[in-house]
Amino acid sequence: MSDEIQLHNPAGLQLPGSLSFQQTGNDNTQIGYIEQQINNITMGGMPQVIRPANPNYEYYNLFVVDQEQMDSVMAIPRKCSLNGYTMEDVRKIYALPGLAAAEEIKRLPSLFVLRNQFGNHTTPGQYAGYGYVVDIRQKSDTIIVVASIFQVIQQEKLNLLEKELHLLSAPENNELDCVHWAIKRVNLPLLIKEKKLIDFMQVL
């Protein structure tokens, strides 16, 4: 990754306080409800937290978007999807024509990120979303993603974990400053637990 990434100043996610989470279901379905709204995360009419019955923790999705606030529906240009930010061996598994691997992609834990405000860092009040992909499809030259976001992580903490998250970086930039979708071979829930990025681990 070069130093040519352009800087952008989106509005960061704001964390108002603690969340109240209720979880129900059985071994095959885990559904929960976040009772307190998170500022600047619009759930888009999808209040339920949806977790796959058989998540795959070997990889994780990384979605970086350029918009004012994080919403449950986001768009990534096709040319910015599963490109050079994703290792070739991983692309062979997931970058199949027509999103043929969509069901497998939905099994992966995901980070939903607004672009960094200052290259390889951002403000303390900017938060990334953690959750899963509910739906993903291609429309013309755009990948449309529907997300179930049920936790937030202070984004600056992610910037400090470039190596652990397998983020490509340059002296003044990293992947979180570039709009794209990548898949990384990292056990994200385990990393979150080890680094204590989220307190409420039951829903991971």
Side-chain angles (χ1 to χ4, degrees):
M1 188 172 179
S2 70
D3 293 329
E4 297 178 355
I5 298 176
Q6 299 297 312
L7 302 182
H8 182 69
N9 294 314
L13 301 182
Q14 303 297 318
L15 182 63
S18 62
L19 301 178
S20 176
F21 182 85
Q22 297 179 3
Q23 186 174 1
T24 60
N26 53 33
D27 292 338
N28 296 321
T29 305
Q30 298 296 322
I31 299 176
Y33 185 78
I34 295 178
E35 292 186 339
Q36 182 173 347
Q37 182 181 4
I38 304 171
N39 291 343
N40 286 350
I41 297 183
T42 303
M43 296 309 291
M46 188 179 61
Q48 288 185 332
V49 172
I50 301 174
R51 179 184 185 276
N54 56 341
N56 178 0
Y57 295 146
E58 185 175 358
Y59 305 89
Y60 79 93
N61 288 302
L62 172 63
F63 298 95
V64 183
V65 296
D66 186 6
Q67 54 195 49
E68 289 300 317
Q69 64 181 14
M70 186 65 68
D71 193 87
S72 60
V73 179
M74 57 200 75
I76 304 283
R78 179 66 187 90
K79 64 181 180 180
C80 300
S81 301
L82 302 184
N83 53 18
Y85 293 105
T86 301
M87 298 295 292
E88 183 177 357
D89 60 328
V90 179
R91 291 201 301 269
K92 289 180 179 179
I93 300 172
Y94 293 104
L96 303 180
L99 288 175
E103 292 305 311
E104 291 301 312
I105 290 166
K106 288 189 283 186
R107 294 178 58 209
L108 307 181
S110 302
L111 288 176
F112 304 96
V113 180
L114 297 179
R115 286 181 63 181
N116 278 339
Q117 296 193 32
F118 311 113
N120 60 0
H121 67 99
T122 192
T123 62
Q126 185 165 333
Y127 284 79
Y130 175 89
Y132 286 89
V133 173
V134 176
D135 192 23
I136 185 168
R137 62 188 63 189
Q138 182 173 346
K139 185 176 181 181
S140 186
D141 294 327
T142 304
I143 301 297
I144 307 298
V145 179
V146 179
S148 175
I149 299 173
F150 50 87
Q151 290 285 357
V152 293
I153 301 172
Q154 190 176 29
Q155 190 158 315
E156 192 65 357
K157 292 181 179 180
L158 301 179
N159 284 314
L160 297 175
L161 297 173
E162 291 176 344
K163 181 178 180 180
E164 292 87 344
L165 289 167
H166 291 187
L167 301 180
L168 297 182
S169 62
E172 301 296 330
N173 303 286
N174 66 28
E175 272 189 63
L176 303 188
D177 188 45
C178 185
V179 173
H180 70 291
W181 164 35
I183 295 178
K184 308 289 186 177
R185 192 167 190 170
V186 174
N187 186 325
L188 182 60
L190 179 61
L191 180 63
I192 289 173
K193 182 177 181 179
E194 291 177 344
K195 300 300 181 179
K196 299 180 180 179
L197 301 180
I198 295 176
D199 293 330
F200 194 76
M201 294 299 299
Q202 292 95 314
V203 295
L204 297 182

